[in-house]
Protein backbone atom coordinates (compact mmCIF):
# COMPACT_ATOMS: atom_id res chain seq x y z
CA UNK A 1 0.00 0.00 0.00
CA UNK A 2 1.42 3.37 -1.00
CA UNK A 3 1.86 6.06 1.61
CA UNK A 4 -0.65 8.89 1.48
CA UNK A 5 -1.37 11.82 3.76
CA UNK A 6 -3.06 15.17 3.49
CA UNK A 7 -0.55 17.42 5.25
CA UNK A 8 2.95 18.45 4.24
CA UNK A 9 4.43 17.80 7.73
CA UNK A 10 3.22 14.19 7.52
CA UNK A 11 4.84 13.79 4.11
CA UNK A 12 8.14 15.29 5.26
CA UNK A 13 8.23 12.97 8.26
CA UNK A 14 7.65 10.06 5.88
CA UNK A 15 10.49 11.18 3.60
CA UNK A 16 12.92 11.45 6.50
CA UNK A 17 12.33 7.77 7.33
CA UNK A 18 12.05 6.39 3.80
CA UNK A 19 15.69 5.84 2.79
CA UNK A 20 18.42 4.23 4.91
CA UNK A 21 20.79 7.18 4.39
CA UNK A 22 20.23 10.91 4.05
CA UNK A 23 22.69 11.11 1.14
CA UNK A 24 23.01 8.36 -1.48
CA UNK A 25 25.09 9.56 -4.41
CA UNK A 26 23.97 8.30 -7.83
CA UNK A 27 21.41 9.00 -10.52
CA UNK A 28 20.10 5.58 -11.55
CA UNK A 29 17.25 5.42 -9.03
CA UNK A 30 16.19 9.02 -9.62
CA UNK A 31 16.30 8.60 -13.39
CA UNK A 32 14.12 5.52 -13.17
CA UNK A 33 11.40 7.42 -11.30
CA UNK A 34 11.84 10.48 -13.54
CA UNK A 35 11.09 8.33 -16.56
CA UNK A 36 8.11 6.71 -14.86
CA UNK A 37 6.72 10.18 -14.20
CA UNK A 38 7.43 11.44 -17.71
CA UNK A 39 9.41 14.40 -16.40
CA UNK A 40 10.90 15.72 -19.63
CA UNK A 41 10.52 19.51 -19.44
CA UNK A 42 10.15 21.41 -22.72
CA UNK A 43 11.12 24.72 -21.09
CA UNK A 44 14.77 25.77 -20.61
CA UNK A 45 16.47 24.36 -17.51
CA UNK A 46 19.39 26.09 -15.78
CA UNK A 47 21.44 24.11 -13.25
CA UNK A 48 23.63 26.05 -10.83
CA UNK A 49 26.33 24.37 -8.74
CA UNK A 50 29.28 25.51 -6.65
CA UNK A 51 30.65 25.49 -3.13
CA UNK A 52 29.20 28.90 -2.28
CA UNK A 53 27.13 31.48 -4.14
CA UNK A 54 24.58 29.05 -5.62
CA UNK A 55 21.64 30.52 -3.71
CA UNK A 56 22.52 34.11 -4.56
CA UNK A 57 22.98 33.28 -8.25
CA UNK A 58 19.66 31.42 -8.43
CA UNK A 59 17.88 34.28 -6.66
CA UNK A 60 19.25 36.91 -9.05
CA UNK A 61 18.45 34.80 -12.10
CA UNK A 62 14.90 34.27 -10.91
CA UNK A 63 14.43 37.95 -10.08
CA UNK A 64 15.56 38.98 -13.57
CA UNK A 65 13.25 36.49 -15.28
CA UNK A 66 10.34 37.58 -13.12
CA UNK A 67 11.06 41.23 -13.93
CA UNK A 68 10.95 40.34 -17.64
CA UNK A 69 7.48 38.85 -17.23
CA UNK A 70 8.40 35.17 -17.45
CA UNK A 71 7.02 32.51 -15.14
CA UNK A 72 10.15 31.15 -13.48
CA UNK A 73 10.37 28.07 -11.29
CA UNK A 74 13.14 28.01 -8.69
CA UNK A 75 14.30 24.96 -6.75
CA UNK A 76 16.79 25.68 -3.97
CA UNK A 77 18.00 24.10 -0.75
CA UNK A 78 18.21 23.88 2.15
CA UNK A 79 15.34 25.91 3.54
CA UNK A 80 15.59 28.17 6.57
CA UNK A 81 12.11 28.17 8.12
CA UNK A 82 9.66 26.32 5.86
CA UNK A 83 10.14 23.55 3.32
CA UNK A 84 8.00 25.57 0.90
CA UNK A 85 10.96 27.95 0.43
CA UNK A 86 12.63 25.25 -1.67
CA UNK A 87 10.00 25.31 -4.43
CA UNK A 88 8.90 28.68 -5.79
CA UNK A 89 7.26 30.14 -8.87
CA UNK A 90 8.03 33.80 -9.51
CA UNK A 91 9.82 33.74 -6.14
CA UNK A 92 6.58 32.89 -4.30
CA UNK A 93 6.92 29.66 -2.26
CA UNK A 94 4.63 26.85 -3.34
CA UNK A 95 1.60 26.04 -1.21
CA UNK A 96 1.46 22.95 0.97
CA UNK A 97 -1.18 21.55 -1.38
CA UNK A 98 0.98 21.96 -4.49
CA UNK A 99 4.01 20.37 -2.83
CA UNK A 100 1.93 17.46 -1.52
CA UNK A 101 0.53 16.93 -5.02
CA UNK A 102 4.07 16.60 -6.35
CA UNK A 103 5.17 14.28 -3.54
CA UNK A 104 2.10 12.13 -4.09
CA UNK A 105 2.94 11.86 -7.81
CA UNK A 106 6.46 10.69 -6.96
CA UNK A 107 5.15 8.15 -4.46
CA UNK A 108 2.74 6.75 -7.03
CA UNK A 109 5.40 6.41 -9.72
CA UNK A 110 8.37 5.12 -7.73
CA UNK A 111 7.15 1.57 -7.15
CA UNK A 112 9.76 -0.21 -5.02
CA UNK A 113 12.50 2.30 -5.82
CA UNK A 114 13.89 3.91 -2.68
CA UNK A 115 14.58 7.65 -2.79
CA UNK A 116 16.25 10.02 -0.35
CA UNK A 117 14.51 13.09 1.07
CA UNK A 118 16.30 15.36 -1.42
CA UNK A 119 15.71 13.09 -4.41
CA UNK A 120 12.01 12.84 -3.61
CA UNK A 121 11.74 16.63 -3.28
CA UNK A 122 13.66 17.28 -6.51
CA UNK A 123 11.31 15.15 -8.60
CA UNK A 124 8.27 16.67 -6.88
CA UNK A 125 9.55 20.18 -7.64
CA UNK A 126 9.92 19.44 -11.35
CA UNK A 127 6.45 17.89 -11.37
CA UNK A 128 5.11 21.15 -9.92
CA UNK A 129 6.97 23.30 -12.47
CA UNK A 130 5.67 21.23 -15.37
CA UNK A 131 2.11 21.28 -14.03
CA UNK A 132 2.36 25.08 -13.69
CA UNK A 133 3.77 25.40 -17.23
CA UNK A 134 6.69 27.63 -16.23
CA UNK A 135 8.73 29.39 -18.91
CA UNK A 136 12.11 28.56 -17.39
CA UNK A 137 13.39 26.58 -14.38
CA UNK A 138 16.41 27.40 -12.19
CA UNK A 139 17.67 24.38 -10.23
CA UNK A 140 20.25 24.62 -7.45
CA UNK A 141 22.55 21.64 -6.95
CA UNK A 142 22.25 20.14 -3.49
CA UNK A 143 25.70 18.55 -3.17
CA UNK A 144 28.50 18.26 -5.71
CA UNK A 145 26.97 18.08 -9.16
CA UNK A 146 27.82 14.95 -11.15
CA UNK A 147 25.77 12.62 -8.93
CA UNK A 148 23.33 15.16 -7.48
CA UNK A 149 19.62 14.54 -8.07
CA UNK A 150 19.07 17.77 -10.06
CA UNK A 151 21.60 16.50 -12.62
CA UNK A 152 19.05 13.90 -13.73
CA UNK A 153 17.49 16.71 -15.77
CA UNK A 154 19.18 17.92 -18.95
CA UNK A 155 20.31 21.54 -18.51
CA UNK A 156 20.23 24.01 -21.36
CA UNK A 157 22.80 26.00 -19.38
CA UNK A 158 24.96 24.85 -16.45
CA UNK A 159 27.05 27.04 -14.16
CA UNK A 160 29.57 26.48 -11.38
CA UNK A 161 29.79 29.55 -9.16
CA UNK A 162 32.80 28.63 -7.03
CA UNK A 163 34.98 25.66 -6.12
CA UNK A 164 36.41 25.17 -2.65
CA UNK A 165 36.66 22.58 0.09
CA UNK A 166 33.37 21.34 1.56
CA UNK A 167 31.64 17.95 1.84
CA UNK A 168 35.06 16.33 1.43
CA UNK A 169 33.68 12.96 2.59
CA UNK A 170 31.56 12.81 -0.58
CA UNK A 171 33.42 14.96 -3.10
CA UNK A 172 37.11 14.55 -2.34
CA UNK A 173 39.62 16.53 -0.32
CA UNK A 174 41.22 18.68 -3.04
CA UNK A 175 39.90 21.45 -5.27
CA UNK A 176 40.78 19.32 -8.28
CA UNK A 177 38.65 16.41 -7.09
CA UNK A 178 35.77 18.69 -6.14
CA UNK A 179 36.06 20.63 -9.41
CA UNK A 180 35.58 17.42 -11.38
CA UNK A 181 32.43 16.57 -9.43
CA UNK A 182 30.98 20.03 -9.95
CA UNK A 183 31.81 20.02 -13.67
CA UNK A 184 29.59 16.96 -14.00
CA UNK A 185 26.60 19.24 -14.63
CA UNK A 186 28.13 20.47 -17.92
CA UNK A 187 26.77 19.05 -21.19
CA UNK A 188 28.28 18.52 -24.63
CA UNK A 189 27.61 21.43 -26.97
CA UNK A 190 25.71 23.40 -24.32
CA UNK A 191 26.70 26.70 -22.67
CA UNK A 192 28.66 26.14 -19.46
CA UNK A 193 29.99 28.77 -17.10
CA UNK A 194 32.49 29.02 -14.26
CA UNK A 195 32.62 32.12 -12.05
CA UNK A 196 35.56 30.91 -9.96
CA UNK A 197 38.53 33.13 -10.86
CA UNK A 198 40.86 30.16 -10.31
CA UNK A 199 39.02 27.24 -11.90
CA UNK A 200 40.51 23.83 -11.15
CA UNK A 201 42.23 22.25 -14.14
CA UNK A 202 39.95 19.23 -13.70
CA UNK A 203 36.92 21.41 -14.43
CA UNK A 204 38.54 22.91 -17.53
CA UNK A 205 39.66 19.50 -18.76
CA UNK A 206 36.25 17.89 -18.28
CA UNK A 207 34.49 20.69 -20.15
CA UNK A 208 36.96 20.33 -23.02
CA UNK A 209 36.69 16.52 -23.05
CA UNK A 210 32.90 16.51 -23.44
CA UNK A 211 32.78 19.50 -25.79
CA UNK A 212 30.91 21.89 -23.51
CA UNK A 213 30.91 25.56 -24.54
CA UNK A 214 32.70 26.78 -21.43
CA UNK A 215 32.96 30.46 -20.50
CA UNK A 216 35.16 31.43 -17.56
CA UNK A 217 35.03 34.67 -15.60
CA UNK A 218 37.96 36.95 -16.38
CA UNK A 219 38.49 35.25 -19.72
CA UNK A 220 35.14 35.14 -21.51
CA UNK A 221 33.05 37.46 -19.37
CA UNK A 222 33.95 39.96 -16.67
CA UNK A 223 32.88 42.98 -14.67
CA UNK A 224 34.35 46.37 -13.85
CA UNK A 225 33.44 48.12 -10.60
CA UNK A 226 33.00 51.82 -11.40
CA UNK A 227 32.32 52.94 -7.80
CA UNK A 228 28.69 54.04 -8.13
CA UNK A 229 27.74 51.45 -10.75
CA UNK A 230 29.34 48.59 -12.64
CA UNK A 231 29.87 47.38 -16.18
CA UNK A 232 29.54 43.84 -17.60
CA UNK A 233 31.50 42.54 -20.56
CA UNK A 234 30.84 39.36 -22.46
CA UNK A 235 31.20 37.65 -25.80
CA UNK A 236 28.57 39.77 -27.50
CA UNK A 237 29.32 43.19 -26.07
CA UNK A 238 28.91 44.99 -22.79
CA UNK A 239 26.24 46.32 -20.47
CA UNK A 240 27.21 49.57 -18.71
CA UNK A 241 25.49 51.50 -15.95
CA UNK A 242 24.39 48.51 -13.89
CA UNK A 243 23.20 48.96 -10.29
CA UNK A 244 24.86 47.01 -7.51
CA UNK A 245 22.86 43.94 -6.46
CA UNK A 246 20.56 44.34 -3.47
CA UNK A 247 22.35 41.34 -1.95
CA UNK A 248 25.21 42.59 0.20
CA UNK A 249 28.87 41.74 -0.22
CA UNK A 250 31.53 42.66 -2.76
CA UNK A 251 31.62 39.06 -4.03
CA UNK A 252 28.04 39.48 -5.31
CA UNK A 253 29.39 41.33 -8.35
CA UNK A 254 31.00 38.09 -9.49
CA UNK A 255 27.71 36.26 -8.98
CA UNK A 256 25.80 38.99 -10.81
CA UNK A 257 28.28 38.87 -13.69
CA UNK A 258 27.63 35.14 -13.98
CA UNK A 259 23.89 35.77 -13.94
CA UNK A 260 24.11 38.18 -16.88
CA UNK A 261 26.27 35.71 -18.81
CA UNK A 262 23.60 33.02 -18.31
CA UNK A 263 20.80 35.39 -19.32
CA UNK A 264 22.78 36.30 -22.42
CA UNK A 265 23.23 32.64 -23.36
CA UNK A 266 19.47 31.97 -23.23
CA UNK A 267 18.42 35.31 -24.74
CA UNK A 268 16.99 33.75 -27.90
CA UNK A 269 14.54 31.59 -25.91
CA UNK A 270 13.78 33.75 -22.86
CA UNK A 271 14.88 37.31 -23.68
CA UNK A 272 15.60 39.61 -20.75
CA UNK A 273 16.21 43.29 -21.47
CA UNK A 274 18.66 45.58 -19.75
CA UNK A 275 15.87 47.27 -17.81
CA UNK A 276 14.70 43.88 -16.51
CA UNK A 277 18.24 42.99 -15.49
CA UNK A 278 18.58 46.23 -13.53
CA UNK A 279 15.22 45.72 -11.86
CA UNK A 280 16.10 42.14 -10.94
CA UNK A 281 19.40 43.21 -9.38
CA UNK A 282 17.64 45.89 -7.32
CA UNK A 283 14.72 43.74 -6.18
CA UNK A 284 16.46 40.45 -5.38
CA UNK A 285 16.26 39.16 -1.81
CA UNK A 286 17.69 36.06 -0.14
CA UNK A 287 17.42 35.40 3.58
CA UNK A 288 20.53 34.45 5.51
CA UNK A 289 23.17 35.56 3.00
CA UNK A 290 24.91 38.46 4.69
CA UNK A 291 21.48 39.73 5.65
CA UNK A 292 21.53 42.85 7.83
CA UNK A 293 18.35 43.35 9.84
CA UNK A 294 17.12 46.90 10.43
CA UNK A 295 17.51 48.56 13.82
CA UNK A 296 20.05 48.69 16.63
CA UNK A 297 22.09 46.83 17.59
CA UNK A 298 22.99 45.81 14.06
CA UNK A 299 22.16 42.14 13.46
CA UNK A 300 23.92 40.25 10.67
CA UNK A 301 22.77 36.81 9.52
CA UNK A 302 24.99 34.65 7.35
CA UNK A 303 24.99 30.91 6.68
CA UNK A 304 28.79 30.91 6.31
CA UNK A 305 29.71 27.35 7.31
CA UNK A 306 32.96 26.68 5.44
CA UNK A 307 36.25 28.59 5.14
CA UNK A 308 35.46 29.96 1.66
CA UNK A 309 32.24 31.56 2.90
CA UNK A 310 33.88 32.62 6.18
CA UNK A 311 36.48 34.61 4.26
CA UNK A 312 33.72 36.57 2.52
CA UNK A 313 31.90 37.15 5.80
CA UNK A 314 35.11 38.39 7.45
CA UNK A 315 35.59 40.96 4.69
CA UNK A 316 31.95 42.03 4.82
CA UNK A 317 32.09 42.53 8.59
CA UNK A 318 35.19 44.68 8.12
CA UNK A 319 33.52 46.74 5.41
CA UNK A 320 30.34 47.25 7.41
CA UNK A 321 31.93 49.93 9.55
CA UNK A 322 32.87 50.47 13.19
CA UNK A 323 31.03 48.86 16.09
CA UNK A 324 32.10 49.07 19.69
CA UNK A 325 31.57 45.35 20.32
CA UNK A 326 30.75 42.48 17.99
CA UNK A 327 28.91 39.53 19.51
CA UNK A 328 28.80 36.23 17.63
CA UNK A 329 26.15 33.55 17.82
CA UNK A 330 28.01 30.67 16.27
CA UNK A 331 27.79 26.91 16.06
CA UNK A 332 28.41 24.27 13.42
CA UNK A 333 28.38 20.64 12.39
CA UNK A 334 31.07 18.15 13.37
CA UNK A 335 31.84 17.24 9.75
CA UNK A 336 32.57 20.85 8.78
CA UNK A 337 35.92 22.64 8.99
CA UNK A 338 35.03 24.69 12.07
CA UNK A 339 38.68 25.45 12.81
CA UNK A 340 39.08 26.79 9.27
CA UNK A 341 36.06 29.07 9.72
CA UNK A 342 37.39 30.36 13.05
CA UNK A 343 40.83 31.02 11.60
CA UNK A 344 39.27 33.60 9.29
CA UNK A 345 36.83 35.17 11.75
CA UNK A 346 38.44 34.98 15.19
CA UNK A 347 39.72 38.55 15.10
CA UNK A 348 36.37 40.00 14.03
CA UNK A 349 34.53 38.89 17.20
CA UNK A 350 34.68 40.29 20.75
CA UNK A 351 32.21 37.98 22.52
CA UNK A 352 31.19 34.46 21.48
CA UNK A 353 27.79 32.95 22.29
CA UNK A 354 27.88 29.24 21.44
CA UNK A 355 24.57 27.31 21.52
CA UNK A 356 23.97 23.57 21.41
CA UNK A 357 22.12 22.51 18.26
CA UNK A 358 19.41 19.86 18.15
CA UNK A 359 20.31 18.58 14.69
CA UNK A 360 22.17 15.51 13.39
CA UNK A 361 25.97 15.81 13.28
CA UNK A 362 25.99 18.95 15.46
CA UNK A 363 29.30 19.62 17.18
CA UNK A 364 29.10 20.09 20.94
CA UNK A 365 29.41 23.67 22.21
CA UNK A 366 32.24 22.56 24.52
CA UNK A 367 34.31 21.36 21.56
CA UNK A 368 33.56 24.56 19.65
CA UNK A 369 34.58 26.64 22.68
CA UNK A 370 37.91 24.78 22.67
CA UNK A 371 38.36 25.47 18.95
CA UNK A 372 37.64 29.16 19.52
CA UNK A 373 40.32 29.28 22.21
CA UNK A 374 42.78 27.43 19.98
CA UNK A 375 42.13 29.88 17.13
CA UNK A 376 43.66 32.71 19.13
CA UNK A 377 40.36 34.54 19.49
CA UNK A 378 40.49 37.32 22.03
CA UNK A 379 36.80 37.21 22.85
CA UNK A 380 35.04 35.71 25.84
CA UNK A 381 33.09 32.49 25.19
CA UNK A 382 29.69 31.61 26.67
CA UNK A 383 27.80 28.34 26.18
CA UNK A 384 24.00 27.92 25.99
CA UNK A 385 21.54 25.02 25.67
CA UNK A 386 19.98 26.42 22.47
CA UNK A 387 20.01 29.30 20.00
CA UNK A 388 17.12 31.09 21.69
CA UNK A 389 19.06 31.50 24.93
CA UNK A 390 22.23 32.50 23.09
CA UNK A 391 20.31 35.13 21.15
CA UNK A 392 18.58 36.45 24.29
CA UNK A 393 21.94 36.78 26.03
CA UNK A 394 23.53 38.54 23.07
CA UNK A 395 20.61 40.98 22.83
CA UNK A 396 20.83 41.71 26.53
CA UNK A 397 24.56 42.34 26.37
CA UNK A 398 24.67 44.34 23.14
CA UNK A 399 24.30 48.11 23.21
CA UNK A 400 22.90 50.19 20.38
CA UNK A 401 26.39 50.79 18.97
CA UNK A 402 27.24 47.09 18.96
CA UNK A 403 26.74 44.34 16.42
CA UNK A 404 25.46 40.75 16.62
CA UNK A 405 26.61 38.33 13.92
CA UNK A 406 24.72 35.02 13.78
CA UNK A 407 26.52 32.60 11.49
CA UNK A 408 27.60 29.02 10.98
CA UNK A 409 25.18 26.32 9.97
CA UNK A 410 21.70 27.03 8.62
CA UNK A 411 20.11 26.03 11.94
CA UNK A 412 21.70 28.99 13.74
CA UNK A 413 20.41 31.52 11.22
CA UNK A 414 16.99 29.85 10.95
CA UNK A 415 16.47 29.91 14.71
CA UNK A 416 17.44 33.56 14.98
CA UNK A 417 15.12 34.43 12.09
CA UNK A 418 12.30 32.50 13.74
CA UNK A 419 12.65 34.68 16.83
CA UNK A 420 11.67 37.66 14.64
CA UNK A 421 14.30 40.06 16.08
CA UNK A 422 13.45 43.73 16.20
Amino acid sequence: MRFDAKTLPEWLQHLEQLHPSAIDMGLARVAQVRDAMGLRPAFPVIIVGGTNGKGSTCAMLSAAYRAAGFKVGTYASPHLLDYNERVAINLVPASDEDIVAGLRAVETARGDTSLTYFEFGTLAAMHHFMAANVDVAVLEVGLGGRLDAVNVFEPDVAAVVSVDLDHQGFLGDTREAIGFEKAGIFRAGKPAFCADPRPPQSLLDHAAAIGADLQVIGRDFSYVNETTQWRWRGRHGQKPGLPFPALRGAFQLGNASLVIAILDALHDRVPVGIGDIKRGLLEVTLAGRYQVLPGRPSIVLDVAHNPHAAGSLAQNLLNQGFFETTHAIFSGLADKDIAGVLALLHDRIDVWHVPALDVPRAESPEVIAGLIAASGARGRVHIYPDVAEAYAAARLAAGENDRIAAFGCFKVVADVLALKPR
Side-chain angles (χ1 to χ4, degrees), residues 247-282:
L247 301 180
R248 295 170 180 259
F251 61 92
Q252 294 292 0
L253 278 185
N255 295 341
S257 184
L258 171 63
V259 165
I260 296 176
I262 294 171
L263 296 173
D264 197 49
L266 281 175
H267 186 79
D268 288 345
R269 296 180 66 183
V270 272
V272 178
I274 186 64
D276 303 317
I277 292 173
K278 291 179 178 180
R279 182 178 169 191
L281 292 174
L282 291 170

Side-chain angles (χ1 to χ4, degrees), residues 144-232:
R146 182 173 65 93
L147 300 177
D148 186 80
V150 303
N151 201 34
V152 78
F153 299 109
E154 284 300 308
D156 295 272
V157 173
V160 173
V161 186
S162 61
V163 180
D164 217 289
L165 300 182
D166 202 7
H167 300 293
Q168 290 97 312
F170 295 98
L171 306 179
D173 56 6
T174 66
R175 289 185 77 245
E176 290 297 328
I178 293 172
F180 173 77
E181 292 297 328
K182 295 191 182 302
I185 62 175
F186 297 160
R187 295 294 191 274
K190 296 291 183 66
F193 296 91
C194 181
D196 192 305
R198 297 183 302 110
Q201 190 62 43
S202 60
L203 181 147
L204 301 175
D205 290 346
H206 180 72
I210 67 170
D213 180 16
L214 179 64
Q215 298 185 46
V216 178
I217 196 167
R219 185 188 74 184
D220 304 287
F221 66 98
S222 62
Y223 66 91
V224 178
N225 187 335
E226 298 176 335
T227 308
T228 59
Q229 58 187 19
W230 64 287
R231 176 187 304 268
W232 179 85

Side-chain angles (χ1 to χ4, degrees), residues 80-81 248 286-294 298-304 313 316-317 320 329 387 391 403-410 412-421:
L80 281 172
L81 300 179
R248 295 170 180 259
L286 186 62
R289 276 67 165 189
Y290 195 61
Q291 179 182 5
V292 181
L293 301 178
S298 177
I299 298 176
V300 177
L301 307 177
D302 199 304
V303 292
L313 175 57
N316 288 335
L317 292 175
Q320 193 184 2
I329 303 172
V387 174
Y391 174 70
R403 173 173 59 187
I404 299 172
F407 64 96
C409 78
F410 275 74
V412 172
V413 173
D415 284 359
V416 172
L417 270 176
L419 294 169
K420 301 186 187 306

Side-chain angles (χ1 to χ4, degrees), residues 315-377:
Q315 188 61 49
N316 288 335
L317 292 175
L318 181 64
N319 293 343
Q320 193 184 2
F322 174 77
F323 295 88
E324 291 182 0
T325 302
T326 295
H327 296 258
I329 303 172
F330 170 75
S331 195
L333 305 181
D335 56 357
K336 296 295 182 180
D337 184 5
I338 296 175
V341 170
L342 294 171
L344 294 161
L345 284 161
H346 73 273
D347 60 350
R348 299 284 190 270
I349 308 301
D350 301 297
V351 184
W352 296 83
H353 304 269
V354 182
L357 300 179
D358 183 23
V359 296
R361 313 190 329 270
E363 186 59 273
S364 74
E366 291 78 14
V367 169
I368 292 176
L371 292 172
I372 292 172
S375 74

